Amino acid sequence: EAQVTQNPRYLITVTGKKLTVTCSQNMNHEYMSWYRQDPGLGLRQIYYSMNVEVTDKGDVPEGYKVSRKEKRNFPLILESPSPNQTSLYFCASSLGQGDYEQYFGPGTRLTVT
Amino acid sequence: SQQGEEDPQALSIQEGENATMNCSYKTSINNLQWYRQNSGRGLVHLILIRSNEREKHSGRLRVTLDTSKKSSSLLITASRAADTASYFCATDAWTTDSWGKLQFGAGTQVVVTP
């Protein structure tokens, strides 16, 4: 089944404790991205990647890191999480940027206390 | 920055009625997409309309695009309780700042009551 998976689905952590949210897709998609969703703000893009080893900042990259060492994986790293990073996070993938539908993962609900 | 803005923010209708929501955007676009999100879940792609298209249909969905007004509408006909969800428009804009980014609006929350 074609899908985007994320882990963990739920995470409660404390300020400053490094964490990684994994994202994997099995559709051989070139393009992957991370979004955060906050009430009233819709989805905002954090980082995106057009291909392996090619990543770029989205609209809200501060406090996040990403890497794209393999085509299928695009982990999101929070080196020192803060309470303002409490949010619902989505990973998405598509064949390319812009002109293609994006496939979304199920989401990761992160709470930073 | 948010490119698309949906209107209304919330919509409550009865089964069988039509639901219409609008999306306005600020800069020229390559295409506009509509997505649905059931409560707290991942978004699901509904339809993509390109800047040179004016109308597109998919099942009970009808999307229009007016590039002169920088707006799009999504019509769901004969709504069902299962259509209860949030609906988002997303734009792929033709600006250097937006290259590679699909920008989403804040969404319209639709509730369909039996």
Side-chain angles (χ1 to χ4, degrees):
Chain A
E1 180 192 351
Q3 60 182 351
V4 178
T5 56
Q6 293 178 228
N7 282 293
R9 295 289 314 281
Y10 302 91
L11 180 59
I12 300 174
T13 190
V14 296
T15 299
K17 186 176 181 183
K18 181 179 178 179
L19 66 92
T20 300
V21 184
T22 64
C23 171
S24 183
Q25 51 93 6
N26 62 1
M27 295 168 277
N28 202 36
H29 283 168
E30 302 280 344
Y31 185 90
M32 297 185 74
S33 60
W34 276 101
Y35 297 89
R36 61 178 288 174
Q37 185 176 29
D38 302 289
L41 294 178
L43 276 78
R44 292 179 293 168
Q45 192 178 53
I46 303 170
Y47 268 96
Y48 64 95
S49 169
M50 293 202 187
N51 211 329
V52 175
E53 301 294 359
V54 180
T55 63
D56 207 348
K57 296 176 181 178
D59 293 317
V60 288
E62 293 78 21
Y64 305 94
K65 283 176 59 177
V66 292
S67 68
R68 187 92 181 272
K69 294 186 170 59
E70 306 165 282
K71 198 172 191 179
R72 63 184 293 130
N73 296 323
F74 190 45
L76 178 70
I77 302 156
L78 284 72
E79 295 267 359
S80 182
S82 63
N84 64 12
Q85 293 178 297
T86 291
S87 188
L88 180 57
Y89 291 87
F90 290 101
C91 179
S93 73
S94 61
L95 284 169
Q97 69 84 21
D99 207 29
Y100 301 91
E101 68 174 277
Q102 295 209 12
Y103 293 78
F104 281 80
T108 294
R109 189 168 290 280
L110 172 65
T111 301
V112 183
T113 60
Chain B
S1 61
Q2 214 161 307
Q3 160 79 316
E5 291 187 10
E6 289 91 344
D7 172 64
Q9 290 185 338
L11 183 59
S12 185
I13 56 174
Q14 291 196 313
E15 264 190 331
E17 293 181 338
N18 295 342
T20 300
M21 59 211 86
N22 304 296
C23 170
S24 59
Y25 56 90
K26 297 170 187 170
T27 60
S28 296
I29 59 169
N30 181 36
N31 67 66
L32 185 145
Q33 303 182 34
W34 285 92
Y35 287 80
R36 183 188 74 228
Q37 183 184 33
N38 292 95
S39 181
R41 304 186 123 185
L43 279 72
V44 174
H45 182 264
L46 296 176
I47 205 161
L48 181 154
I49 186 165
R50 292 190 169 79
S51 59
N52 61 353
E53 297 175 311
R54 291 296 167 258
E55 189 169 312
K56 222 166 175 182
H57 297 255
S58 177
R60 293 183 296 112
L61 305 180
R62 172 178 168 252
V63 168
T64 62
L65 179 65
D66 187 334
T67 53
S68 66
K69 294 181 180 177
K70 292 187 170 59
S71 69
S72 173
S73 68
L74 170 66
L75 168 68
I76 306 172
T77 59
S79 62
R80 306 166 182 168
D83 294 326
T84 294
S86 292
Y87 293 82
F88 295 87
C89 67
T91 54
D92 170 35
W94 275 115
T95 66
T96 3
D97 287 346
S98 302
W99 184 254
K101 305 175 190 175
L102 197 62
Q103 295 187 301
F104 287 80
T108 293
Q109 192 170 357
V110 175
V111 175
V112 182
T113 52

